[in-house]
Each structure stands twice: as structure tokens, then as C-alpha cells.
Amino acid sequence: MSGNLLDINNLQVRVEDKVILKDLNLTIKEGEVHVIMGPNGAGKSTLGYTIMGHPGYGVDKGNLIFEGEDITDYKTDARAKKGIFLSFQNPEELSGVTLENFTRTSKNTVTGEQARFMTFRKELYGVMEALDMDKDYANRYLNVGFSGGEKKKSEILQMLMLQPKLAILDETDSGLDVDAVRLVSKGVEAFKNDSNSLLIITHNTKILEYLSVDYVHILVEGKIVKSGDRSLIKKINENGYKDFITSDLSA
């Protein structure tokens, strides 16, 4: 483990006129895996979008410090170049652009270097094989006609090719069967090392069965109400979130 990768300080975020996140604090160090859990509507995805710089999520107060640099006002592309990646809960379809071209262009943009075509393709095919993806998907338009599982594998494929410093996985296991979850988890484990970090956002625990986890945070009504180790996962499986909901959270 090394220094702090991301510091979130007293963050308050609103969407239109509604405050979603309230005085949220979180520190992620290099090499750590953090999990954000909570009931639907708690603000989990809002946190992911805010870290990534989605323009629809306004920061009222607080800041985000990435590798010691304040990125609160940085646009999404600048954050991506800094090494932040977000895997979407519902990946968009992009007609006219193949998965291979999209991934290669993304990598060239993030790294500032032009990847050699054959070198890139060899690496891409190797990752696709590890994720049990048919190579033909590389020539298909991004996510167009993909099953839910293939869309999620596509997101993990992009993560493995881009090698970000911080990967945010938003409900990556949503809608996946057991075999797909296992393959996606395998890809996540292949990504993980001592220099990068993961923030996994989920409301269930399927994907967590296959991953090493350092910290679990319970988010309820825009606030982190409890942090601990993976033993919190067992409590949630047994009792749900009722033990973490108090009457003064909205105060």
C-alpha cells in the first residue's frame, strides 16, 4: 500500500434541485478495494458519476483530490486522462463505431500515444479470450445487439486495456448469471495490483463473493453511515439495510 489516490472531502452533490450526497468523506489509497453498498436511491451511482465528472451532477461544496491534485472542476475527459475509469451500470450502445476502434481510440487519447495496430489487436484478443468473448465482437458496433452479460464484459475489457489508476464499477454484476459474474470477477482480479485501486458500487453481493475487499461502506440517503471490513457484507445478507437506517439521516 502507498499514498492516497483519492480523497473526497465534505462532498455535497445535487441533481437539479435535489441534494443527493451530503457531507460525504472517503479516502482510497493505492492498492485498495473499496465497496459502496446501500439500498436503491441511496446515491451510490451519483457518487460514481460525480467522481467521473458527469456535468449533470453539481458539487455544492467539498472537493475531490486525486493524487494530491484538486480535480473538482475538471471535465470528464481530463479525469480520464488522469487515470479514472467508470464502468456503467447500463452501458450505452454506439452504432457506427466498433468495439475495437472505440477501445483503441480511447487508449490513444488517454495515454497520448498511438498504439501500433497489430500490437494493440494482439493484446485486445488476448483479453477477450480471458473474458470468454468471441473475437468477432471486436468488429461489432459498440454494445449494439450485445446481451447484458456481453455489455458488462465489454466494460471490463475496456478497463483492462486502459489500465486506469482508479476503476469505478457501477453495478457491474447487475443482471448477470453466475457464470458471467465469475468471468467478470476474473477480469477484475486480473486488473488489480498494488498501484491501482477499485471502487465497486453495488446493492447486492454476488460479485463480492469472488473478490478480495479491503473496506465496505454503507451509503444511506446520501451519507456514509458505516464503514468496516467485509464482515459488513455478511450483516447485509442476513438483515438487509434496516440496521443502518436511522430517523435523523435526512436532517
Side-chain angles (χ1 to χ4, degrees):
M1 304 291 178
S2 187
N4 292 2
L5 185 64
L6 176 69
D7 288 295
I8 302 176
N9 304 304
N10 302 314
L11 189 68
Q12 179 170 298
V13 175
R14 72 173 60 242
V15 179
E16 297 180 346
D17 295 327
K18 184 177 181 180
V19 175
I20 306 297
L21 299 180
K22 308 165 186 176
D23 296 318
L24 189 145
N25 294 279
L26 179 66
T27 295
I28 300 176
K29 295 180 180 292
E30 293 176 349
E32 292 181 342
V33 176
H34 288 246
V35 175
I36 299 288
M37 301 188 69
N40 290 332
K44 302 187 300 296
S45 292
T46 294
L47 177 59
Y49 287 135
T50 301
I51 296 172
M52 198 68 241
H54 191 299
Y57 295 78
V59 176
D60 287 345
K61 66 177 183 178
N63 58 25
L64 298 98
I65 307 297
F66 189 73
E67 292 190 311
E69 183 175 0
D70 191 333
I71 62 168
T72 310
D73 297 324
Y74 283 23
K75 293 184 178 179
T76 301
D77 61 336
R79 299 185 193 207
K81 290 177 181 178
K82 289 289 182 184
I84 302 176
F85 172 89
L86 172 63
S87 171
F88 293 98
Q89 179 177 354
N90 298 302
E92 295 287 338
E93 297 182 0
L94 187 58
S95 183
V97 180
T98 66
L99 171 60
E100 180 176 4
N101 286 339
F102 178 84
T103 306
R104 186 171 67 249
T105 300
S106 297
K107 186 167 185 174
N108 290 344
T109 301
V110 167
T111 63
E113 301 175 355
Q114 294 295 313
R116 293 192 176 189
F117 178 78
M118 292 307 298
T119 301
F120 175 85
R121 173 167 284 186
K122 182 179 180 181
E123 181 184 359
L124 181 72
Y125 283 176
V127 177
M128 293 182 78
E129 182 178 359
L131 292 173
D132 197 26
M133 290 184 72
D134 193 305
K135 290 188 293 186
D136 289 344
Y137 277 87
N139 297 316
R140 293 176 58 175
Y141 293 152
L142 182 67
N143 295 327
V144 176
F146 287 24
S147 67
E150 296 298 343
K151 286 182 178 181
K152 298 301 177 71
K153 290 180 186 179
S154 171
E155 295 281 287
I156 299 302
L157 171 68
Q158 294 166 47
M159 178 188 73
L160 289 169
M161 293 299 294
L162 293 175
Q163 288 295 309
K165 297 174 183 176
L166 173 64
I168 306 165
L169 307 183
D170 185 11
E171 304 285 2
T172 300
D173 54 348
S174 177
L176 300 184
D177 61 27
V178 174
D179 289 335
V181 170
R182 188 178 293 111
L183 280 170
V184 167
S185 300
K186 181 180 177 182
V188 174
E189 284 286 7
F191 165 76
K192 188 69 198 67
N193 60 49
D194 290 337
S195 299
N196 59 31
S197 301
L198 278 162
L199 179 61
I200 301 172
I201 297 170
T202 186
H203 70 274
N204 60 54
T205 60
K206 284 195 297 183
I207 196 171
L208 304 180
E209 295 174 6
Y210 304 97
L211 299 175
S212 299
V213 172
D214 295 301
Y215 298 98
V216 177
H217 310 279
I218 309 301
L219 186 67
V220 178
E221 295 186 19
K223 296 181 179 181
I224 292 179
V225 297
K226 182 73 174 179
S227 295
D229 58 24
R230 68 176 300 126
S231 64
L232 281 178
I233 300 171
K234 182 180 179 182
K235 292 182 180 180
I236 293 167
N237 284 337
E238 292 175 348
N239 303 313
Y241 296 105
K242 59 183 177 62
D243 293 341
F244 303 102
I245 299 175
T246 59
S247 59
D248 63 346
L249 281 175
S250 60

